[in-house]
Amino acid sequence: MISKTLSLQALCAQESITISPAVVAANNVVIVPKRIDGKDRLNSDFIPLIKQIRLKAGTSYIAKRDGEVGYYDFRGGEYELPLFILKDVLLPILLGILANRIDKMLFEYQESKKEDPDNKHLHEPEIKARWYITETQEYFELQGPASEASVSIKAYLKERSRKS
Amino acid sequence: MMGRDIGQIIAEARSLVKQQCVCDAESKYLSAISELEKNKDSVNGSRELWTTRAEYLWFRSQFLTNGESLEKSRQRKLESIRLLWKSAGLRGRFESELRAKAKDLVKMTILAVGCIIREDESHVHIECPIRIRSVGAGQFGFSIACFFEKATCSICGRDVVKDVECAHIPGEQYDGKQCHTKPENLRIDHVALTTNPKDPKTGFTALSIPKNEFYSNFSEDQIRRKSKFGLPLVCSLCMKEEIDPTEISVEKFFQMQGLELE
């Protein structure tokens, strides 16, 4: 897991998107879709996760560069989540839901491996997740095999709760 | 001769096989079979006759094929596997043992004489997963990439993510109904061939290659001999590369060569 301090403006420049500070202030979570094929799109594999976050957050907003936000159903080798810009208080909720989802994917992978151990096409899922905490202006990026991602998230949550 | 005596003869035959005394072992097996043939009309007698014959054939194909032509040896081995399989089908108490022996013989046959590659007038047909993997195609599976504009909630009909009025989570139960999303305005963008496919169960299970193209992998001499003597095209990949062909089941072994098992 890598982290760096970044202003909201720099983050928006990095993502080639315009999000006003007022929108960020008014919403507990802002979801930034991935730009694919000239259109903003959300990963269909994470629809339930995004929905859970939106319901838990109370106020949320799906940012867009232009046009309507659509969905995509492909990976290119990894499962990529949208970027979450969120209030610090919501981070444990996001990471809890994410860890749960990753563990479920890992379980499904391990079950498939047990059922079909010779299948050369079975690979451990690769995860890419990014989030930005508005108060501290910290940007986090997590990328790697699901088992490692799950361990990193749990260790981070443990460390965070110990500090608080 | 009593049943116990026949059991004794078979035990001696097995012991001789272990000691590599194949000629003595063969005469013991033949003697046991000739005794068993006298009781072949009873259910148990018939079963014992079949299983002993199968064991004998298995023994023969392992030890008594020296000096035969490759094709004769192949035919004998195939016949032995068929008979073992048929004997196992009688569902006696040796069923699993006989099936295991047949599987073992399949492995031995692949490693000793290779597999016939099925051909028709214009193409060769490869259905062996080991061979398919070796030519590259078998390493790939399919990933279908698509876009859709709306993910409709099956409970309320709104867009499940974008519409804040929808309070349903896909996968959860609501009044006994499971919520799921229905993609709308779906467009398939591409189908990718990849070593890490989205659906790991997809992939190539058979390849049909034009004969001329496939024959270019063999020497001119091999092709000439094949046409002159009407020999089948044989894959010897497992023999050459020392690959363990355990994944090839008995049924698959016959099916991929275009041969009848029964």
Side-chain angles (χ1 to χ4, degrees):
Chain A
M1 192 186 298
I2 55 163
S3 70
K4 59 183 174 186
T5 307
L6 207 64
S7 69
L8 179 65
Q9 205 183 3
L11 180 74
C12 288
Q14 176 191 295
E15 300 299 317
S16 311
I17 197 166
T18 310
I19 307 168
S20 78
V23 167
V24 174
N27 290 283
N28 289 330
V29 176
V30 176
I31 298 155
V32 183
K34 190 177 159 114
R35 190 77 171 166
I36 300 175
D37 209 19
K39 199 170 158 65
D40 292 330
R41 297 187 185 277
L42 295 166
N43 188 342
S44 65
D45 284 305
F46 292 114
I47 286 177
L49 181 143
I50 298 168
K51 187 58 191 261
Q52 270 177 293
I53 299 286
R54 289 202 83 177
L55 290 176
K56 296 263 186 200
T59 52
S60 63
Y61 176 75
I62 299 174
K64 53 189 174 188
R65 290 153 185 103
D66 55 46
E68 276 295 300
V69 175
Y71 301 90
Y72 70 95
D73 185 2
F74 68 88
R75 306 175 284 160
E78 65 187 4
Y79 291 91
E80 185 175 349
L81 282 115
L83 165 69
F84 291 98
I85 299 172
L86 74 171
K87 301 268 194 297
D88 187 62
V89 69
L90 270 176
L91 186 62
I93 296 170
L94 168 71
L95 295 185
I97 295 170
L98 179 57
N100 233 338
R101 176 74 189 126
I102 292 173
D103 285 348
K104 207 170 163 184
M105 289 165 93
L106 256 177
F107 176 75
E108 282 165 12
Y109 160 71
Q110 280 154 357
E111 287 298 297
S112 307
K113 200 79 194 159
K114 257 190 244 166
E115 264 176 42
D116 194 0
D118 294 326
N119 192 332
K120 307 274 188 291
H121 294 153
L122 276 169
H123 299 274
E124 183 179 337
E126 292 273 326
I127 306 291
K128 185 176 178 186
R130 299 178 306 143
W131 61 92
Y132 177 81
I133 303 167
T134 48
E135 294 95 329
T136 57
Q137 299 202 320
E138 273 178 298
Y139 169 81
F140 291 86
E141 202 170 301
L142 176 72
Q143 193 166 6
S147 54
E148 286 174 25
S150 172
V151 169
S152 295
I153 291 171
K154 285 167 193 165
Y156 175 79
L157 284 172
K158 205 171 172 184
E159 180 64 17
R160 187 183 150 101
S161 84
R162 194 184 60 80
K163 277 183 190 166
S164 62
Chain B
M1 194 180 287
M2 301 294 288
R4 197 176 50 216
D5 299 331
I6 297 170
Q8 178 72 33
I9 297 172
I10 294 170
E12 281 168 18
R14 285 174 188 160
S15 164
L16 287 164
V17 170
K18 275 186 192 160
Q19 295 163 40
Q20 303 273 309
C21 303
V22 287
C23 292
D24 293 342
E26 184 175 31
S27 54
K28 289 280 177 195
Y29 271 125
L30 291 174
S31 150
I33 288 168
S34 126
E35 285 304 321
L36 286 165
E37 270 172 348
K38 291 173 191 165
N39 293 321
K40 67 180 175 189
D41 294 335
S42 73
V43 177
N44 279 345
S46 156
R47 194 172 285 161
E48 279 174 20
L49 175 62
W50 271 105
T51 50
T52 310
R53 269 185 183 160
E55 186 175 323
Y56 168 64
L57 281 165
W58 179 78
F59 150 77
R60 266 201 73 100
S61 58
Q62 276 200 311
F63 296 98
L64 299 178
T65 52
N66 289 346
E68 284 181 345
S69 76
L70 204 61
E71 278 319 298
K72 197 170 173 198
S73 169
R74 181 197 314 286
Q75 291 313 320
R76 185 192 288 281
K77 286 177 195 319
L78 291 173
E79 204 45 39
S80 305
I81 298 166
R82 284 191 183 105
L83 280 161
L84 278 169
W85 201 250
K86 193 174 174 184
S87 308
L90 294 173
R91 303 199 178 277
R93 60 199 164 104
F94 301 112
E95 184 184 352
S96 58
E97 202 180 317
L98 289 169
R99 288 204 193 280
K101 274 200 159 75
K103 178 94 198 290
D104 194 35
L105 195 49
V106 161
K107 182 179 163 180
M108 208 187 79
T109 307
I110 295 172
L111 292 173
V113 294
C115 300
I116 296 169
I117 299 172
R118 202 157 61 80
E119 298 176 78
D120 61 20
E121 282 176 10
S122 56
H123 287 74
V124 293
H125 303 280
I126 301 172
E127 291 176 43
C128 168
I130 298 170
R131 179 91 200 191
I132 291 173
R133 274 204 298 277
S134 80
V135 295
Q139 295 162 20
F140 297 101
F142 294 94
S143 278
I144 299 172
C146 56
F147 295 129
F148 51 97
E149 302 314 317
K150 203 175 165 193
T152 308
C153 171
S154 62
I155 307 285
C156 66
R158 297 182 176 96
D159 189 294
V160 80
V161 176
K162 292 185 272 182
D163 195 332
V164 286
E165 297 294 316
C166 168
H168 308 108
I169 299 170
E172 301 283 316
Q173 296 272 340
Y174 298 93
D175 295 328
K177 284 183 190 166
Q178 191 178 39
C179 171
H180 61 266
T181 52
K182 288 188 276 186
E184 280 184 27
N185 300 331
L186 187 136
R187 172 169 69 86
I188 292 178
D189 185 63
H190 63 268
V191 177
L193 270 176
T194 165
T195 52
N196 182 5
K198 179 140 189 169
D199 184 350
K201 289 202 167 89
T202 60
F204 290 96
T205 54
L207 292 176
S208 290
I209 303 170
K211 266 184 171 175
N212 291 346
E213 215 172 283
F214 192 76
Y215 280 9
S216 63
N217 297 316
F218 296 83
S219 72
E220 274 181 31
D221 186 46
Q222 279 176 304
I223 300 298
R224 202 171 37 246
R225 270 194 319 125
K226 173 187 147 40
S227 344
K228 190 176 171 188
F229 299 109
L231 297 171
L233 199 59
V234 174
C235 170
S236 49
L237 180 73
C238 294
M239 293 155 71
K240 282 183 190 156
E241 310 270 324
E242 293 181 3
I243 298 168
D244 180 359
T246 309
E247 67 182 280
I248 309 294
S249 67
V250 177
E251 294 97 327
K252 180 76 185 171
F253 175 68
F254 277 81
Q255 177 231 320
M256 70 192 195
Q257 297 182 96
L259 302 170
E260 295 288 327
L261 174 56
E262 310 257 350

